[in-house]
Amino acid sequence: MARNKLVNGSHGIWKYFNPAFYLRRPRRLALLIILFVSVSMVVWDRQSLSRDYQFEVSKLNEEVLRLQQMLEEIKSVTEDVFVKSLKDVQEDPVDAQRMQRVKEAMIHAWSSYEKYAWGQDELQPQTKDGVDSFGGLGATMIDALDTLYIMGLDEQFQKAREWVASSLDFDKDYAASMFETTIRVVGGLLSAYDLSGDKIFLEKATDIADRLLPAWDTQSGIPYNIINLKHGNAHNPTWAGGDSILADSGTEQLEFIALSERTGDPKYQQKVEKVISVLNKNFPADGLLPIYINPDTAKPSYSTITFGAMGDSFYEYLLKVWVFGNKTSTVKHYRDMWEKSMNGLLSLVRKSTPSSFTYICEKNGNLIDKMDELACFAPGMLALGASGYSDPAEGKKFLSLAEELAWTCYNFYQSTPTKLAGENYFFNSGSDMSVGTSWNILRPETVESLFYLWRLTANKTYQEWGWNIFEAFEKNSRIESGYVGLKDVNTGVKDNKMQSFFLAETLKYLYLLFSPTTVIPLDEWVFNTEAHPLKIKPRNDQVNLKQSNKVLLRKPAFRIRQRHYGRITKK
Ligand code: DMJ
């Protein structure tokens, strides 16, 4: 009986297990088949999902392992190349005294400018008046803004800020150098904005940059180097035979990229980045470009190759735009170009006899055994770029080249009776270095390199060398009404100009050479070629977005620490 019930399937849940229950009713059978297929699909789907998931997890694990290995490699390079961390260096009371001495020098330079040349481009300390060497843009005022801020000279900074707000006027019928105007004025204003957050500086930077923009409207995109600030007509200097100058054309990228980021307007970045793309198309294998470039064709004209005047900061900016762009793939071509150029630089390096000073030749067909003091920025640049090599041996090689070149540059100073460097040096077999052009106009390049080398190697020797140079300036260049250059570093005869870059660069780098390393840390700021620090931020790649209609926005490779604390120091 019980068995019958089961067979007939008429009671309880057991009926569902009886095949007759389905065979008698085709609809039930169809439902059963559908149910079976659906359940199988769900189970199969879940299994394949979990297989995919496991596959993804194992891929991610592999990626984590690879990244861990990379991190280890990077750590070992950094530890190897940069022997000691600056954190290991004891605070030195002598540094604090030296910082104060440099600050006092800045106060002397500034108050002399304030007294005799307020609002003019540069002070002439001997005649106690001012001169408008840059079209009357208050070059010294703007160049000095960030130095005043960093040194905590608040009253002076505020007074200069009021002048910028009320008296700075760019509507000048003046043929300005777009290079000098960019590095000093656009750079100085942007740096003051980044440091203080005061919008007036950004407004003024935008105003002057807009006036410079037509200079890039050439057939190739390589800019003309001179432009009328009022009318916007641009041309090249006649002495360059119609060509544009390499350094003048390739030293606006940092400032204009920063301006696009700060304003949200891509037009500035577009102009200056096109210059590099155009040059990259026919970039020579050794990465060395002659100083004259045709603005119609973007082709280099036969001319000198140099890391000194007219070449220098083109190479500097290839590296710095890469750093400023967070070293991401978007800016990788800058790093690639820079590494090529550094290999080219190696082909220009020679050693003097008898003392084996390493120097960088110029090249005009053949090598010329001549090096400008201006090329003494190179040790700092090489030190800054050394840690970015994927091969640790390369990083070490370039850092050690930087150290050798810094020794040569220091000796440019030490080898003269005044202990101040001449403008350029010749190297003749058997007699090491001899001064060529013998003036000194308070240039910063050597102390700039000493600053980088100190920050990156923690070797106090660089501070000592910097201090000796500072004392030589104090002894030879300081007069009652400011600082002057020397007409001749052999005799010590003085000139009549306090260059604006003495306040922007020379005194700033000297101050930072003795400051705690938390002041303007190199992983948060990039110095433009006039020593104006610009804050590293994610790039505004709306530019590329608009140009190509492709989504190229990307996350920065690493997070830049935010500042939640006073002024420019970090905890
Ligand atoms: C400054 O204007 C800049 O450092 C520029 O890159 C080279 N010349 C002077 C300082 O020597």
Side-chain angles (χ1 to χ4, degrees):
M1 186 65 184
R3 189 172 174 271
N4 266 351
K5 268 189 187 172
L6 214 90
V7 169
N8 294 334
S10 52
H11 290 292
I13 80 160
W14 297 112
K15 68 182 179 191
Y16 298 114
F17 295 98
N18 184 355
F21 179 76
Y22 299 100
L23 290 172
R24 268 187 273 138
R25 298 271 185 89
R27 273 180 60 197
R28 283 185 191 162
L29 183 62
L31 272 173
L32 179 69
I33 292 168
I34 290 170
L35 187 69
F36 175 76
V37 170
S38 312
V39 169
S40 315
M41 278 178 71
V42 168
V43 170
W44 182 82
D45 197 31
R46 285 188 68 86
Q47 275 178 347
S48 77
L49 260 178
S50 105
R51 255 199 318 276
D52 284 354
Y53 176 72
Q54 275 168 3
F55 179 64
E56 283 300 321
V57 168
S58 75
K59 261 183 31 188
L60 283 172
N61 279 337
E62 270 172 33
E63 187 61 13
V64 167
L65 263 176
R66 198 182 63 78
L67 288 172
Q68 272 171 347
Q69 269 169 8
M70 267 175 67
L71 192 65
E72 286 310 312
E73 271 168 30
I74 291 168
K75 270 199 206 152
S76 70
V77 178
T78 323
E79 277 160 16
D80 254 14
V81 176
F82 305 115
V83 196
K84 261 204 281 177
S85 154
L86 277 159
K87 287 187 203 106
D88 304 333
V89 176
Q90 295 291 314
E91 266 192 24
D92 187 340
V94 175
D95 288 353
Q97 286 165 20
R98 289 177 172 179
M99 252 174 82
Q100 283 313 310
R101 287 281 309 279
V102 179
K103 183 170 171 178
E104 190 280 320
M106 178 68 186
I107 293 172
H108 179 62
W110 176 258
S111 52
S112 304
Y113 169 75
E114 199 175 356
K115 191 162 173 192
Y116 301 115
W118 182 252
Q120 290 190 266
D121 283 330
E122 288 177 308
L123 166 67
Q124 303 192 117
Q126 307 270 21
T127 45
K128 298 187 177 167
D129 55 9
V131 58
D132 281 335
S133 359
F134 299 99
L137 310 180
T140 297
M141 184 94 65
I142 298 175
D143 246 357
L145 280 167
D146 53 6
T147 310
L148 295 172
Y149 191 94
I150 290 166
M151 291 185 179
L153 295 169
D154 297 343
E155 247 175 60
Q156 291 89 331
F157 178 81
Q158 275 313 320
K159 195 171 166 195
R161 186 256 175 227
E162 291 319 313
W163 183 87
V164 168
S166 61
S167 309
L168 181 56
D169 174 20
F170 295 127
D171 200 32
K172 299 264 160 60
D173 189 2
Y174 175 77
S177 154
M178 45 82 79
F179 163 76
E180 299 292 359
T181 312
T182 299
I183 65 170
R184 294 176 203 234
V185 183
V186 181
L189 290 166
L190 280 177
S191 186
Y193 172 65
D194 278 3
L195 290 164
S196 69
D198 189 332
K199 285 248 159 48
I200 187 68
F201 298 121
L202 183 59
E203 278 165 30
K204 293 287 179 181
T206 311
D207 179 359
I208 185 69
D210 284 338
R211 291 168 191 274
L212 298 177
L213 271 187
W216 280 268
D217 295 339
T218 63
Q219 245 168 277
S220 69
I222 302 290
Y224 289 127
N225 297 158
I226 295 174
I227 183 156
N228 186 292
L229 296 179
K230 194 182 186 71
H231 305 297
N233 45 314
H235 58 93
N236 274 335
T238 43
W239 50 262
D243 282 336
S244 302
I245 295 153
L246 178 64
D248 288 30
S249 308
T251 311
E252 291 78 21
Q253 284 64 27
L254 280 178
E255 296 81 355
F256 279 64
I257 291 170
L259 192 58
S260 277
E261 194 285 323
R262 279 39 164 187
T263 59
D265 188 337
K267 69 182 173 198
Y268 309 103
Q269 187 170 346
Q270 277 167 352
K271 296 277 187 200
V272 295
E273 297 226 276
K274 184 174 176 199
V275 175
I276 302 303
S277 313
V278 164
L279 293 176
N280 198 14
K281 275 193 190 130
N282 295 307
F283 205 49
D286 65 2
L288 299 177
L289 284 174
I291 53 174
Y292 293 138
I293 314 275
N294 185 311
D296 297 325
T297 63
K299 296 245 161 66
S301 304
Y302 186 83
S303 47
T304 307
I305 284 171
T306 177
F307 279 80
M310 298 195 268
D312 47 10
S313 42
F314 164 70
Y315 303 103
E316 176 187 349
Y317 270 33
L318 291 180
L319 175 70
K320 288 185 173 175
V321 173
W322 176 71
V323 178
F324 196 56
N326 289 298
K327 308 178 182 176
T328 55
S329 55
T330 317
V331 284
K332 187 173 174 293
H333 58 294
Y334 285 92
R335 173 79 198 191
D336 292 343
M337 289 172 80
W338 183 78
E339 287 193 9
K340 265 192 191 178
S341 304
M342 293 310 101
N343 284 333
L345 183 148
L346 289 179
S347 71
L348 305 179
V349 167
R350 291 290 178 273
K351 280 190 191 287
S352 72
T353 54
S355 311
S356 220
F357 287 114
T358 304
Y359 60 97
I360 309 172
C361 293
E362 297 185 351
K363 188 175 178 181
N364 202 328
N366 297 321
L367 291 191
I368 306 161
D369 296 288
K370 170 182 170 263
M371 181 172 164
D372 287 347
E373 195 280 338
L374 280 165
C376 286
F377 84 94
M381 171 187 71
L382 288 165
L384 183 66
S387 63
Y389 280 99
S390 48
D391 175 1
E394 284 289 282
K396 274 187 182 175
K397 181 175 82 185
F398 282 103
L399 182 63
S400 103
L401 175 61
E403 301 207 78
E404 287 175 32
L405 288 168
W407 170 239
T408 305
C409 290
Y410 178 58
N411 277 276
F412 286 174
Y413 286 73
Q414 291 309 296
S415 60
T416 74
T418 53
K419 304 277 183 261
L420 287 177
E423 179 72 355
N424 54 46
Y425 284 79
F426 287 93
F427 293 83
N428 295 314
S429 172
S431 57
D432 286 323
M433 58 179 77
S434 58
V435 182
T437 305
S438 62
W439 69 57
N440 175 299
I441 56 168
L442 306 165
R443 286 199 192 278
E445 289 74 17
T446 300
V447 291
E448 169 184 348
S449 283
L450 298 179
F451 157 73
Y452 280 106
L453 280 162
W454 155 245
R455 282 279 176 105
L456 296 166
T457 67
N459 181 344
K460 286 189 83 68
T461 303
Y462 298 118
Q463 288 186 308
E464 291 311 310
W465 293 356
W467 184 248
N468 292 339
I469 292 174
F470 175 72
E471 292 206 304
F473 279 128
E474 285 295 284
K475 189 165 171 211
N476 296 281
S477 293
R478 182 174 175 136
I479 63 172
E480 171 267 329
S481 47
Y483 286 84
V484 290
L486 301 185
K487 286 181 180 164
D488 188 341
V489 292
N490 297 309
T491 62
V493 172
K494 295 172 175 37
D495 73 11
N496 186 24
K497 175 80 77 76
M498 186 170 80
Q499 304 279 342
S500 77
F501 53 66
F502 183 63
L503 292 83
E505 299 192 69
T506 314
L507 291 177
K508 185 188 287 137
Y509 284 130
L510 281 165
Y511 182 81
L512 292 174
L513 186 60
F514 303 109
S515 308
T517 55
T518 48
V519 182
I520 315 287
L522 288 176
D523 58 348
E524 293 183 15
W525 298 84
V526 172
F527 290 89
N528 87 337
T529 195
E530 190 78 359
H532 296 306
L534 299 170
K535 189 92 171 86
I536 299 174
K537 296 182 180 180
R539 281 164 50 106
N540 179 357
D541 279 311
Q542 290 300 328
V543 175
N544 299 330
L545 202 65
K546 283 201 177 163
Q547 266 176 349
S548 64
N549 231 0
K550 273 193 266 161
V551 179
L552 291 174
L553 289 172
R554 81 283 155 281
K555 283 192 191 147
F558 57 88
R559 274 207 166 283
I560 306 295
R561 264 187 303 268
Q562 294 294 312
R563 243 182 337 119
H564 304 290
Y565 31 85
R567 306 291 284 244
I568 43 270
T569 59
K570 73 174 181 185
K571 275 179 192 159

